Amino acid sequence: MQSTWKVYILAIVSFLVGTSEYIISGILDQIATTMGITVSAAGQLITVFSLAYAIGTPILMAVTAKWDRRKLLLSSLGLFAVANALSFILPGFGMFIAARILMALGAGMVVVTALSIAAKIAPAGKQASSIATVTMGFTASLIIGVPLGRMISSASYGWKTVFLGIALTAIIALIVIAMTIPRLKGDQPIPLLQQFALLKKPEVALGLAITFFWGGGYFLAYTYISPYLLNVSGVGDNMLNSVLLAFGIASLIGSKIGGYSADKKGISFTLFGGMVLHVFSLLLLPAAAHSLIAVFALLILWSFAAWTTGPTQQYNLVTLVPESSGVMLSLNQSTMQLAMAAGAGIGGVVVGQVSLASITWFGAAGVVIAIVAVYLLSRRSSVHTELGVTE
């Protein structure tokens, strides 16, 4: 089998993992109703998943660094499949949280290992495009997985059926991977302390702060997007699937435009422009609550603007420490998961103590802090450039 098709198999696995993570946002209201809990409590399922992913993945990857890559992928995908099956079988909110923790640990190792394998099996000169293909699986889960999960759960099958479907598909993927992916040597382990030593650099700390506050602001609002649209914006349940699909498509377009703009216009311009539009759309969303067309337009603008930042920020971090690009991307991945956890957690408090309608304002506040961090980083880079020229 050609390496291209093997990379697409890894992309499908990435799609499964992304769907299992993001699907909660699309069915939050149904989980809350079925389990007899509040929407804010259900939102903590994302917090738990993200914390387990962010903290557990670097540790588990360090412990298993020398493992054969195929063996590691099969093992982690197996854990992921079992966790999804348990999500379907086990009753109660507590058991579901436990299953989500296992799911997150398996998912984190699956993604990192899939990216590593994609780079190793790619033809010479195509490593970056192979990694991008696997990464697109995550984006596709936003576009296809979340609306599809909403459609399935809204039918007579129930929301738990989504996790059974993911578990069965993961088992099929296990068989295909065992038959197609070759045995590959593990990597030389990089001590965690050595990875975290980069955080002592002010530029790195500011760069990761951009990820944290941008991601936190985004996910604070996005986590509760379904109940917000249903209860605040007045979007009917029959329209919600279409709205979520349009939201996902806009995120893909934004991601593509963001990468293009970063190449043509520069990192700072793209980050500033995208985040300003991000804040603008979130602040206006409550005012558009009585117009379906206005809500639809602002949601598309929000998704488009937010995801122009994604690839730009990854490129930004790589340019900060080019000699440690792999470690920087790994730190960015963990920071993003922590941002998701913080966003979902703070969003739960906002929904419970303030109001569901106010989540867009708090989300916008997080992105404003990220804009300040972009400004400080760009100023610091300008000073260093001027000093370099002077010397």
Side-chain angles (χ1 to χ4, degrees):
M1 181 182 288
Q2 292 182 347
S3 59
T4 302
W5 289 106
K6 295 176 183 177
V7 171
Y8 280 119
I9 291 171
L10 297 173
I12 292 172
V13 172
S14 179
F15 170 80
L16 288 176
V17 171
T19 300
S20 72
E21 179 171 8
Y22 293 133
I23 187 60
I24 296 295
S25 297
I27 58 176
L28 203 63
D29 56 308
Q30 297 180 357
I31 293 174
T33 301
T34 303
M35 294 192 163
I37 57 177
T38 64
V39 169
S40 58
Q44 302 318 303
L45 289 166
I46 295 177
T47 303
V48 169
F49 187 102
S50 298
L51 284 175
Y53 189 118
I55 297 171
T57 300
I59 296 172
L60 290 174
M61 291 306 299
V63 171
T64 59
K66 293 184 178 180
W67 283 28
D68 172 84
R69 296 295 93 177
R70 184 179 71 171
K71 174 185 175 183
L72 180 56
L73 182 59
L74 291 173
S75 300
S76 54
L77 188 56
L79 175 61
F80 175 76
V82 168
N84 276 277
L86 290 175
S87 297
F88 175 75
I89 296 169
L90 296 178
F93 187 57
M95 289 294 98
F96 190 39
I97 287 180
R100 288 287 289 175
I101 292 173
L102 287 177
M103 197 186 303
L105 295 176
M109 289 194 293
V110 166
V111 171
V112 176
T113 307
L115 290 170
S116 174
I117 292 175
K120 290 184 177 182
I121 65 175
K126 293 188 176 181
Q127 288 88 347
S129 61
S130 295
I131 291 174
T133 299
V134 176
T135 304
M136 284 295 290
F138 255 98
T139 307
S141 69
L142 261 178
I143 299 170
I144 303 171
V146 174
L148 181 62
R150 179 76 190 188
M151 290 172 62
I152 293 172
S153 61
S154 296
S156 57
Y157 307 110
W159 62 267
K160 279 200 169 189
T161 311
V162 174
F163 295 100
L164 176 61
I166 293 175
L168 294 175
T169 308
I171 291 172
I172 295 172
L174 270 170
I175 298 171
V176 174
I177 288 170
M179 295 173 60
T180 58
I181 301 298
R183 293 174 62 89
L184 296 164
K185 283 186 177 182
D187 301 321
Q188 194 64 31
I190 301 175
L192 288 174
L193 291 178
Q194 184 177 332
Q195 295 184 38
F196 292 134
L198 286 172
L199 295 174
K200 295 179 181 179
K201 296 185 177 183
E203 292 84 358
V204 172
L206 273 174
L208 292 175
I210 295 170
T211 295
F212 182 80
F213 287 105
W214 159 69
Y218 173 82
F219 283 104
L220 192 156
Y222 180 74
T223 297
Y224 300 92
I225 186 66
S226 292
Y228 180 90
L229 293 175
L230 290 170
N231 300 308
V232 178
S233 297
V235 175
D237 194 55
N238 58 329
M239 281 290 297
L240 189 56
N241 295 333
S242 300
V243 172
L244 291 175
L245 179 61
F247 193 93
I249 293 173
S251 71
L252 177 61
I253 296 173
S255 181
K256 289 289 186 182
I257 296 297
Y260 177 82
S261 176
D263 285 336
K264 297 295 182 180
K265 298 289 187 178
I267 293 172
S268 294
F269 174 88
T270 305
L271 290 178
F272 274 122
M275 289 186 192
V276 168
L277 286 177
H278 190 161
V279 171
F280 176 79
S281 58
L282 285 177
L283 292 179
L284 285 184
L285 199 54
H290 301 294
S291 171
L292 182 59
I293 294 176
V295 168
F296 198 79
L298 285 171
L299 282 173
I300 290 175
L301 178 62
W302 171 25
S303 182
F304 171 84
W307 285 99
T308 59
T309 303
T312 308
Q313 175 59 1
Q314 290 190 52
Y315 180 54
N316 181 33
L317 290 169
V318 169
T319 59
L320 291 178
V321 193
E323 67 277 10
S324 302
S325 58
V327 175
M328 285 299 298
L329 291 175
S330 176
L331 288 173
N332 186 57
Q333 185 80 352
S334 290
T335 302
M336 192 64 180
Q337 292 296 326
L338 289 173
M340 291 175 66
I346 295 172
V349 174
V350 170
V351 171
Q353 302 298 321
V354 186
S355 69
L356 179 59
S358 65
I359 58 169
T360 58
W361 291 84
F362 283 88
V367 182
V368 168
I369 296 174
I371 292 174
V372 173
V374 172
Y375 172 75
L376 293 175
L377 181 60
S378 63
R379 286 286 299 169
R380 191 175 184 86
S381 299
S382 298
V383 170
H384 283 182
T385 301
E386 291 172 3
L387 288 175
V389 171
T390 302
E391 293 172 0

